[in-house]
Amino acid sequence: MLCLITDYSNLGRRRESEGKHNYLVDRISYLPYEILVSIVSLLSLKEAAATSVLSRRWEKVWKHTTNLNFEDLDLSVGDNCRCFKALEQNLRDEKSRNYVNWVDRVLVQHEGHNIERFRAFFFLNSRFTNPIDKWIEFAMQKRVQVLELQFFVKQYYCTRDNYAFPENLIGLGGEGESSKHIPTLHSCRYNNVGFKFLKVLRLQHIGMTDEVLEYFLSNCPVLERLTVTVAENLVCVKVVGPSISVKYLAVNNCPNLKSIEICNANIASFVYRGACIELLISNVPLLIEVHISERALDNDYTTLAFTRLSSCLSHLEILKLDIWGVLYNPNCDFPVLEILKHLELNVETNYHSALYHLYSFMKACPHIERLALKLDFRTYVETPVSKAPKFSHHSLKVVEIMGYRGYQSVVEHVKYLIENAVALEKIIIDPVQRWIWPPKMDRGSTMVDEEVQARKHAKEHLKERVPSTIEFLCL
């Protein structure tokens, strides 16, 4: 059914010549209106709008769509993103204005009472504050469940001229002593609705204060997923108390952030990327997944990471750490992570003690079933790798090497894992650095050539080292 509607959204004006399709559309048109709205809500906005030509009954169905995903330009495709950035300022401004006008036109025509998702995804900044404020106001009135404001700038870490979240819309931003208190839904302009239906919030390149973030944490009773990326003015994140509903928290590259405190909360998954900050985690019994990627080259960083996670190590099931540039410290006493099942490390392979570092982690994680090594060769110089002690790991079943290159140090890592992981069932070799390059993103001809050579090396030289009892997969 969905394929048929999608087909008609593309064929539109040719429907008269398609008698069979017309018959099917007529039959579908007899379905309850709510089902037609559900069908249209599965389409993109442009496809949904195109269904208005199917028949008189379909004319206004798209105006009740619950999926307002305004992704006109696929900025996840590297060519489009780079081309946009390369444009002269006046042309970029024109395209941004056209995008804003498109969103405004759709919102004016929307007739539904509720929306499940509102997503704005474009190069926008403070020059478009007024329309963006109205979009958020619209989303609040429509009881939005998923709100995504993902804006882009020419330089990723630049926060100058970023759009700032409208504090007055949620009861903040006043003057005097009362402005220091976090408002409630009752003090919000839309106290009868507010964001009490909000389940997912993703904000990127949005100016945000600690008070705004605290408002969302304290006043969104069903908010489960919160992602904040490059949020200017965010200094201290506090997720404290069992009343906070957020279970999945991600804080990425906020330039002024000093600390994150998570205490007595129901957090199940926590992600932090950015500079070294004060990280306090305590009494979080539901926390099973942690991903920390800090820009730290301190040799004691591994010890520091385990120390800060000490209160949750006993119940972690998934741990992802960025230890690139952190050298092995023989005096570091790794704690044993008894129930950890998945370990992912961003590592540097080309230094003499690299295998010792890997050995220490595997000894500390006796029950992991999956190990992923993310390889980064920013400053690669081939260095002899010292042999690490032999031992038998009885749980590791799957090894994934991401960002593979045919360097000897990488081959030594694979050999070491084959020799010591006695239960190993599968090795996955992936030359693409997928944690850096999202799907569809153009990586450039140089990078692609490197991946082709790496893939060829893996198939011709690495595969032969893998026993027949272990499945070898090269992506």
Side-chain angles (χ1 to χ4, degrees):
M1 185 184 300
L2 179 58
C3 292
L4 173 63
I5 301 302
T6 304
D7 181 51
Y8 260 80
S9 71
N10 294 329
L11 296 178
R13 300 184 183 279
R14 289 185 288 170
R15 66 187 188 283
E16 289 83 8
S17 62
E18 301 289 344
K20 181 179 179 180
H21 281 179
N22 275 335
Y23 171 76
L24 291 174
V25 169
D26 289 342
R27 295 294 300 270
I28 295 171
S29 297
Y30 284 108
L31 292 171
Y33 199 77
E34 293 77 11
I35 294 180
L36 300 185
V37 172
S38 297
I39 293 172
V40 167
S41 296
L42 296 173
L43 305 175
S44 72
L45 274 173
K46 292 187 176 181
E47 291 172 337
T51 62
S52 62
V53 304
L54 293 177
S55 71
R56 181 169 295 180
R57 190 157 191 248
W58 283 92
E59 189 174 351
K60 292 187 177 182
V61 174
W62 77 273
K63 297 182 180 182
H64 292 80
T65 181
T66 60
N67 179 24
L68 294 175
N69 180 6
F70 296 95
E71 187 174 351
D72 182 29
L73 173 63
D74 187 2
L75 295 179
S76 66
V77 178
D79 282 340
N80 286 346
C81 190
R82 281 200 296 272
C83 288
F84 190 94
K85 291 181 178 181
L87 293 175
E88 293 182 3
Q89 183 65 48
N90 60 332
L91 293 177
R92 290 204 304 272
D93 290 345
E94 181 182 353
K95 287 183 176 293
S96 295
R97 281 194 297 270
N98 290 340
Y99 177 86
V100 169
N101 291 337
W102 172 49
V103 177
D104 287 344
R105 286 196 303 271
V106 172
L107 298 193
V108 168
Q109 297 179 77
H110 192 269
E111 298 177 0
H113 296 295
N114 303 311
I115 57 172
E116 293 181 4
R117 185 186 190 196
F118 182 98
R119 184 186 189 216
F121 188 83
F122 208 80
F123 278 85
L124 299 177
N125 55 27
S126 60
R127 280 174 289 182
F128 302 97
T129 291
N130 287 337
I132 298 173
D133 285 354
K134 293 177 182 178
W135 300 349
I136 297 174
E137 197 170 335
F138 171 91
M140 293 177 73
Q141 291 175 314
K142 298 284 185 173
R143 307 183 180 209
V144 65
Q145 297 179 34
V146 179
L147 177 61
E148 300 168 290
L149 302 176
Q150 296 175 270
F151 300 153
F152 300 86
V153 295
K154 197 166 184 180
Q155 299 295 329
Y156 180 77
Y157 288 101
C158 179
T159 57
R160 185 182 61 184
D161 295 331
N162 276 3
Y163 167 79
F165 192 90
E167 297 184 350
N168 63 311
L169 204 61
I170 55 175
L172 284 169
E175 297 181 359
E177 203 60 35
S178 61
S179 67
K180 298 179 181 179
H181 299 293
I182 302 302
T184 66
L185 284 176
H186 299 291
S187 62
C188 173
R189 187 189 301 178
Y190 301 99
N191 59 70
N192 60 325
V193 178
F195 286 111
K196 67 180 182 180
F197 296 94
L198 191 63
K199 296 179 180 179
V200 178
L201 177 64
R202 296 188 179 97
L203 302 176
Q204 178 171 307
H205 279 289
I206 304 289
M208 170 184 285
T209 62
D210 296 347
E211 289 77 15
V212 170
L213 184 63
E214 188 173 346
Y215 169 85
F216 282 109
L217 291 171
S218 303
N219 290 284
C220 300
V222 294
L223 181 63
E224 290 192 354
R225 295 181 178 271
L226 173 60
T227 302
V228 180
T229 302
V230 196
E232 186 183 13
N233 299 328
L234 199 61
V235 178
C236 180
V237 173
K238 289 187 177 182
V239 185
V240 179
S243 62
I244 294 176
S245 60
V246 171
K247 294 179 174 60
Y248 306 90
L249 173 67
V251 181
N252 303 314
N253 302 316
C254 296
N256 299 308
L257 190 64
K258 303 298 181 185
S259 67
I260 297 179
E261 180 181 2
I262 304 174
C263 179
N264 300 322
N266 297 315
I267 296 288
S269 173
F270 170 60
V271 176
Y272 174 70
R273 298 182 182 93
C276 267
I277 61 170
E278 183 180 7
L279 181 58
L280 305 173
I281 300 178
S282 63
N283 194 21
V284 281
L286 301 181
L287 184 60
I288 60 172
E289 178 177 0
V290 170
H291 180 182
I292 297 181
S293 178
E294 291 182 298
R295 295 185 290 275
L297 299 180
D298 191 331
N299 287 351
D300 290 328
Y301 175 71
T302 307
T303 303
L304 175 63
F306 281 131
T307 299
R308 296 188 300 174
L309 298 175
S310 59
S311 66
C312 61
L313 290 178
S314 62
H315 46 83
L316 278 188
E317 297 181 14
I318 301 173
L319 176 62
K320 302 178 182 182
L321 287 178
D322 185 349
I323 59 170
W324 188 92
V326 179
L327 301 181
Y328 171 69
N329 183 356
N331 298 318
C332 178
D333 187 16
F334 283 34
V336 178
L337 286 72
E338 289 288 354
I339 70 169
L340 196 73
K341 301 298 182 184
H342 180 140
L343 176 64
E344 182 174 297
L345 299 173
N346 189 329
V347 299
E348 186 176 12
T349 61
N350 57 314
Y351 73 98
H352 66 282
S353 298
L355 285 180
Y356 277 89
H357 220 162
L358 178 61
Y359 163 77
S360 298
F361 270 98
M362 293 184 65
K363 289 285 285 185
C365 307
H367 302 297
I368 57 168
E369 297 178 356
R370 188 182 187 96
L371 171 67
L373 298 182
K374 296 156 60 173
L375 310 184
D376 193 334
F377 303 102
R378 281 172 270 183
T379 56
Y380 191 85
V381 177
E382 192 71 77
T383 303
V385 179
S386 300
K387 292 185 178 180
K390 291 185 177 181
F391 78 105
S392 296
H393 195 290
H394 296 277
S395 298
L396 186 58
K397 297 179 180 179
V398 178
V399 167
E400 183 175 8
I401 310 295
M402 304 165 67
Y404 176 85
R405 295 294 183 269
Y407 299 130
Q408 185 59 34
S409 62
V410 180
V411 174
E412 292 298 327
H413 276 68
V414 177
K415 287 172 53 181
Y416 184 78
L417 291 168
I418 292 174
E419 293 170 359
N420 294 281
V422 298
L424 194 59
E425 298 175 356
K426 187 175 185 178
I427 293 179
I428 304 171
I429 302 297
D430 187 356
V432 182
Q433 296 175 322
R434 299 185 190 277
W435 67 99
I436 299 176
W437 306 99
K440 300 181 182 179
M441 190 169 188
D442 176 53
R443 301 183 295 280
S445 58
T446 301
M447 182 68 70
V448 172
D449 288 344
E450 288 183 7
E451 293 165 2
V452 170
Q453 292 301 316
R455 198 171 287 113
K456 180 180 179 182
H457 180 276
K459 292 178 179 179
E460 294 181 356
H461 302 286
L462 191 61
K463 185 176 182 180
E464 63 185 18
R465 299 174 182 266
V466 179
S468 59
T469 55
I470 300 174
E471 180 184 357
F472 182 85
L473 177 62
C474 186
L475 302 179

